[in-house]
């Protein structure tokens, strides 16, 4: 009987000590709270951008998957297209990392260069289908910024915010600006205080999610299989590796690593029937 | 005793070359300067008059220069640097004699390089239709072709294609690395130069695909890009776009309810060409972007692409008329 009481009082004492330790720590380090504030700020923005309800219209694009499957008909026709899909996802991520990721990173690091980045990305996108998809999503992102986020991020001293506002304004009158997704993704994440690595990771992850979701709607796989692909260690490792590989690549050195991808995407227009815009 | 040479100091550097095409007044195009250093070699036969002039801007002579290398290929560590300039109202055809072979390198970090910088004045035109680059197994090569269009004018029809190596020896993209860059810039006297087009191909071990390069190539042995721009090649550009539009739909079915119409001679040739494309496993796409027509093609074997390019250029015919048969010599 006494032992139980002793145990209980010891437990109370420990709880009390822990509480006092915590109080002492927080008094010692008053910057603890603001730092979690910054982290939460970034986390909040990350959650906004990763939400599948973000109105970018990404669901309308398969990034070449539909055309790829049409070029690789399984035999017999009843065979699963799943192996084809896995190959495509790898190639598609590799292409995106070699062509667009450097623009995301540079857009985040150098907000003032957004107009040049936009022009150079446009010059480097060789086919109308990919161009249409990139511009549609870039413009949608800009619209979300203008209509929804801008009011919350009124820090007019920030150079990034100023660049974004200027770009958005110039786009209305200019006939040379396009608003491609990659450089704008870098710039918008910078304005929303998302750290560079997270911004790049999310860019590639969102692409994987778009392709996987297109695969579900093209009846290549079911929704549970889709989640399994997205949560797989393989995908994590791949995205992490690609961000690492692309970290120091200059935009001048961005280029196509899977040349046949340009053909698949470019020939999407020639499909007899199609459910996606790219 | 000091002696001052009356001649300018030699500026020749290994692998450097220069081609300057100028107008000798009143209206004769001449190769004002053509120089080269080992391992680059340039061969310039006499200019020939074009079979047919299209307007006042057609020069009286079309010049052709062959880009060659000693030993018929590029050895590890070679570096070639060529400058080309075209004055207004001149036309130049650049060709090779056989594929550019890239020999294997003892060390993947020892990369052979070829750089070409071209300045094109308004109302001039360049045709660059070389044989494909053929990188052998364990080679490392990087090339860049940079075109500067004065005021964004001037005409270009340039092709860049690469093959899988020596299929007869079982080579199938067994290279260490291959990169090829094509850039077109517009430059004016007082405005900052602006990038019009960048086509950058990077074949190396990066990309985290976990696949061999041959798998990444989806069993194609040739990849090519054709870049067309400018007034001189307007009808050729249109031809590529029209033919792309006329390609049969992928996955379309013949329900047998189409009325069989009598085909015109042109349509008949089109059908023949499309059948040949299927037989050669050739796929292609064309896009009209930023004032260019950009054509991408791939086929199972080199000859498939070669025949296809030749058929496309021949069917339309304007290049042969304004530049002569020599322009398509590498496609024979």
């Amino acid at each position: 009987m006494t032992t139980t009481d002793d145990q209980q009082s010891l437990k109370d004492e420990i709880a009390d000590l822990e509480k006092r330790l915590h109080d002492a720590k927080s008094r010692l380090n008053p910057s603890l709270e603001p730092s979690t504030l910054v982290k939460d700020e970034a986390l909040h923005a990350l959650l906004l951008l990763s939400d599948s309800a973000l109105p970018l219209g990404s669901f309308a694009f398969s990034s070449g998957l539909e055309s790829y499957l049409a070029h690789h008909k399984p035999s017999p026709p009843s065979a699963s297209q799943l192996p084809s899909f896995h190959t495509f996802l790898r190639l598609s991520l590799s292409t995106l990392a070699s062509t667009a990721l450097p623009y995301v990173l540079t857009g985040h690091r150098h907000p003032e260069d957004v107009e040049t980045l936009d022009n150079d990305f446009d010059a480097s996108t060789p086919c109308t289908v990919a161009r249409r998809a990139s511009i549609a999503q870039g413009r949608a992102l800009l619209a979300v910024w203008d209509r929804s986020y801008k009011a919350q991020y009124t820090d007019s001293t920030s150079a990034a915010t100023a660049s974004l506002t200027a770009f958005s304004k110039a786009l209305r009158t200019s006939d040379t600006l396009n608003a491609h997704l990659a450089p704008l993704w870098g710039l918008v994440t910078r304005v929303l205080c998302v750290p560079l690595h997270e911004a790049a990771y999310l860019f590639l992850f969102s692409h994987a999610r778009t392709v996987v979701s297109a695969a579900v709607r093209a009846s290549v796989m079911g929704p549970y299989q889709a989640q399994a692909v997205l949560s797989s260690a393989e995908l994590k490792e791949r995205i992490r590796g690609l961000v690492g590989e692309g970290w120091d690549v200059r935009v001048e050195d961005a280029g196509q690593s899977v040349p046949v991808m340009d053909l698949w995407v470019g020939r999407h227009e020639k499909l007899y029937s199609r459910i996606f815009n790219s | 005793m000091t002696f001052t040479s009356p001649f300018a100091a030699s500026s020749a550097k290994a692998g450097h070359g220069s081609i300057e095409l100028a107008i000798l007044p009143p209206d004769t195009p001449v190769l004002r300067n053509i120089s080269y250093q080992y391992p680059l070699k340039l061969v310039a036969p006499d200019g020939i008059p074009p079979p047919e002039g299209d307007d006042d801007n057609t020069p009286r002579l079309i010049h052709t220069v062959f880009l060659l290398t000693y030993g018929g290929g590029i050895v590890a560590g070679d570096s070639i640097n060529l400058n080309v300039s075209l004055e207004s109202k001149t036309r130049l055809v650049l060709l090779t004699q056989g594929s550019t072979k890239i020999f294997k390198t003892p060390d993947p970090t020892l990369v052979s390089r070829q750089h070409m910088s071209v300045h094109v004045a308004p109302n001039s035109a360049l045709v660059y239709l070389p044989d494909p680059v053929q990188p052998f197994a364990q080679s490392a090569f990087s090339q860049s072709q940079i075109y500067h269009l004065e005021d964004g004018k001037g005409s270009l029809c340039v092709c860049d294609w690469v093959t899988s190596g020596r299929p007869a020896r079982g080579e199938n993209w067994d290279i260490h690395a291959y990169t090829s860059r094509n850039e077109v810039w517009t430059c004016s006297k007082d405005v900052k130069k602006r990038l019009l087009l960048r086509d950058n191909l990077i074949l190396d071990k990066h990309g985290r695909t976990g696949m061999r390069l041959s798998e990444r190539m989806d069993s194609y042995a040739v990849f090519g890009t054709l870049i067309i721009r400018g007034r001189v090649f307007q009808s050729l550009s249109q031809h590529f776009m029209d033919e792309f539009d006329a390609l049969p739909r992928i996955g379309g079915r013949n329900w047998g309810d189409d009325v069989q119409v009598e085909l015109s001679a042109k349509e008949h040739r089109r059908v023949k060409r499309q059948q040949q494309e299927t037989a050669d496993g050739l796929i292609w796409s064309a896009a009209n972007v930023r004032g260019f027509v950009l054509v991408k093609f791939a086929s199972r074997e080199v000859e498939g692409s070669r025949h296809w390019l030749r058929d496309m250029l021949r069917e339309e015919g304007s290049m042969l008329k304004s530049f002569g048969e020599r322009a398509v010599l590498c496609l024979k």
Side-chain angles (χ1 to χ4, degrees), chain B residues 163 223 320 329:
Chain B
T163 76
F223 276 94
L320 295 167
L329 212 58

Side-chain angles (χ1 to χ4, degrees), chain A residues 190-234:
Chain A
R190 166 75 179 261
V191 170
L192 300 188
C193 305
V194 177
L196 183 54
H197 186 270
E198 275 85 335
Y201 194 100
L202 180 57
F203 181 71
L204 292 178
F205 177 80
S206 302
H207 178 77
R209 193 189 55 202
T210 306
V211 173
V212 166
S213 118
V216 172
R217 279 169 294 144
S219 313
V220 175
M221 58 167 78
Y224 291 106
Q225 276 174 307
Q227 287 306 309
V229 171
L230 287 178
S231 62
S232 68
E234 192 196 336

Side-chain angles (χ1 to χ4, degrees), chain B residues 58-123:
Chain B
T58 310
R60 289 178 41 208
L61 293 174
I62 309 286
H63 283 87
T64 305
V65 176
F66 289 91
L67 314 179
L68 314 174
T69 44
Y70 287 94
I74 293 178
V75 183
D78 274 354
S79 177
I80 285 173
N81 199 328
L82 178 65
N83 279 303
V84 181
S85 84
L86 275 70
E87 261 189 14
S88 187
K89 296 193 183 179
T90 61
R91 287 184 188 176
L92 179 66
V93 178
L94 287 178
L95 299 171
T96 53
Q97 279 189 337
S99 63
T100 305
K101 293 153 193 76
I102 315 294
F103 295 103
K104 82 169 191 186
T105 175
D107 175 1
T109 58
L110 183 67
V111 180
S112 315
R113 290 173 198 282
Q114 176 162 298
H115 175 77
M116 182 165 88
S117 173
V118 184
H119 184 94
V120 180
N123 291 321

Side-chain angles (χ1 to χ4, degrees), chain B residues 186-204:
Chain B
T186 168
C187 55
S188 313
K189 282 207 176 61
D190 19 69
V191 191
K192 201 178 136 205
K193 70 174 188 172
R194 178 165 162 261
L195 184 66
L196 294 175
L197 184 90
R198 178 179 284 146
D199 177 76
N200 200 7
L201 173 64
I202 304 166
L203 302 179
D204 59 17

Side-chain angles (χ1 to χ4, degrees), chain A residues 119 122 252 256 269-270, chain B residues 181 200 208 249-250 290:
Chain A
N119 174 66
D122 194 56
E252 299 86 73
Q256 181 56 271
E269 286 179 286
K270 303 304 307 178
Chain B
R181 172 192 295 275
N200 200 7
R208 303 271 161 168
R249 294 278 174 175
I250 302 162
R290 294 167 71 95

Side-chain angles (χ1 to χ4, degrees), chain B residues 43 56 74 94 98 119 128 133 147 177-178 184 209 220 222 232 239 247 249:
Chain B
V43 173
D56 301 344
I74 293 178
L94 287 178
H119 184 94
Y128 180 35
V133 178
Y147 305 94
Y178 174 87
V184 185
T209 51
Y220 290 100
V222 195
V232 173
H239 178 65
L247 280 182
R249 294 278 174 175

